[in-house]
Amino acid sequence: MSRRFYIGVFGFLIFIGGLYMVLKSNNYIESEDSALEYVQINGVDVPLIFEQSDLIPVGKIELVFEGGGSIYDAINAKDSLPNPKNATEAKAGLANLASALLNEGTRTLGNIAFADKLESKAITLDVGTGAQTLSFDISFLREHKDFALACLVDLLKDPNTTQESLEKVKTIAKATILRKENDFDYVARTNLNAIFFENTPMEYPSMGSVESVDSISLGDIEQYLSQNLVLNRLIIVAGGDMEIQEIKDQLAKELSFLPLGTAPTKPTIKPRAIPKEIVAHKQTQQAYIHFASPFDAKTKENYKTKVMSFVLGASGFGSRIMEEVRVKRGLAYSAYFSIIGGSDVVNYGVGYLQTGLDSKDKAIKVVQEVMQEFIDKGITQEELDAAKAFLLGSEPLGEETLSQRLNVKLMNYMRNLPLDNHKKDIAKIAHLSLKEINDFIAKHPEILKLSISFVEEQ
């Protein structure tokens, strides 16, 4: 199917997006409170992102600790090294392993009894990590809020940091890593990160290697927890059928046991600017290709980046890369390229191809030609209209649930932007002119500097 077909489909979405904007402007859709609140705990003003919703009698509280993510693994370890030379020295997988251990319940009750305690009141409690954060996410019925908070506090005070539990989660982690050796997309992506983010905290896989996981001790886990479970790293995200002052007072009391600690220093990660290639040989009947390029844009220009990314390769069928590589020439089963431009830590473009072994070189060549033409000539009015239609039309779909709305506010806060910045970006996209977007595209030829990772036949 041609690009015109997909533009027609996207055209339908512009009606939805336009209707949404009209309703919003006329107050038919209630406006979100975008003001950041604070909970004062032991003299620390802890940020609180809150949204009240009484549609159903449930609540959600998430404790987010900055500095607990995988990019901090090396400095969170007990015996950290200033310049780790490999995944083992960097203690790669520490954050991932620590969150797995925190999901093993409390030391007093153990995994099964603690899980049974939560289940008895239909409470869900999950601990996870991202690149920057460690998060405790608990959801509950309104009537069981106090019980749920008590369980969360128990976990924070009495995590199951025993050698037995550590060995269990290490075994699971190593088994997962070994299984990933046969996931050739994962292999290609991991190898790409090793060259593209060389000499940065993103060089190593977030789950680590078998060797690095083996090297992580109980002391490393305890150091990680003491470093991160502190008030000066805490962001609270809460919402549901609760009153804001009620939850402020309760959290101030329940979390007063946390030490003050120190805020993390957020790194600025510079990916590779000089292209490099890496090849891995596996028993495969097709080629797996992952590629990435630097992207140097300001966070406040992310609305332009979204349009640029959508047209070039992030929109699936109808995007330039998919249209040229798969639809017109049949050189790949899938083709994708997306630009990450909204981070204050690292920005870059990343994509992938799955191709036949005999067409991999041609497919990459076409991608490079498409990207060169994209930088040289920009996009058409038709493509801009299609991008606007989709981005405007899909905005309400990304905020259907309370969790989605709270999460997007958290992402804005983490980037030092207003909590409602995503809505401001949508308004800017609606008024974006063809000249503005093409001038922006022309200023970013750095996306042509592709580093490439191949997995191909032996």
Side-chain angles (χ1 to χ4, degrees), residues 31 36 71 84 90 127 136 170 189 224 242 271 305 413 454 456:
S31 202
L36 182 67
I71 63 174
V127 185
F136 294 74
K170 285 173 77 167
R189 184 169 62 253
Y224 169 90
M242 302 178 289
T305 301
Y413 174 80
F454 298 90
E456 55 190 57

Side-chain angles (χ1 to χ4, degrees), residues 168-185:
K168 173 186 173 182
V169 297
K170 285 173 77 167
T171 298
I172 294 171
K174 289 187 290 184
T176 301
I177 292 167
L178 289 172
R179 285 197 303 272
K180 288 287 188 180
E181 291 181 359
N182 293 316
D183 179 346
F184 298 147
D185 270 316

Side-chain angles (χ1 to χ4, degrees), residues 206-219:
S206 60
M207 68 173 61
S209 64
V210 170
E211 294 76 19
S212 69
V213 169
D214 263 333
S215 76
I216 294 170
S217 67
L218 199 56

Side-chain angles (χ1 to χ4, degrees), residues 102 105-110 152-161 257:
L102 288 165
T106 63
R107 183 190 290 258
T108 300
L109 292 180
L152 177 57
V153 169
D154 285 346
L155 181 59
L156 289 166
K157 286 182 174 179
D158 185 33
N160 197 1
T161 49
F257 69 92

Side-chain angles (χ1 to χ4, degrees), residues 22 88 236 259 267 300 304 320 333 363 388 390-391 410 443 445:
V22 169
T88 301
I236 302 171
K300 66 181 182 181
K304 297 177 185 175
R320 287 277 187 96
Y333 313 116
K388 285 185 177 185
F390 183 86
L391 295 171
L410 173 63
K443 291 177 183 177

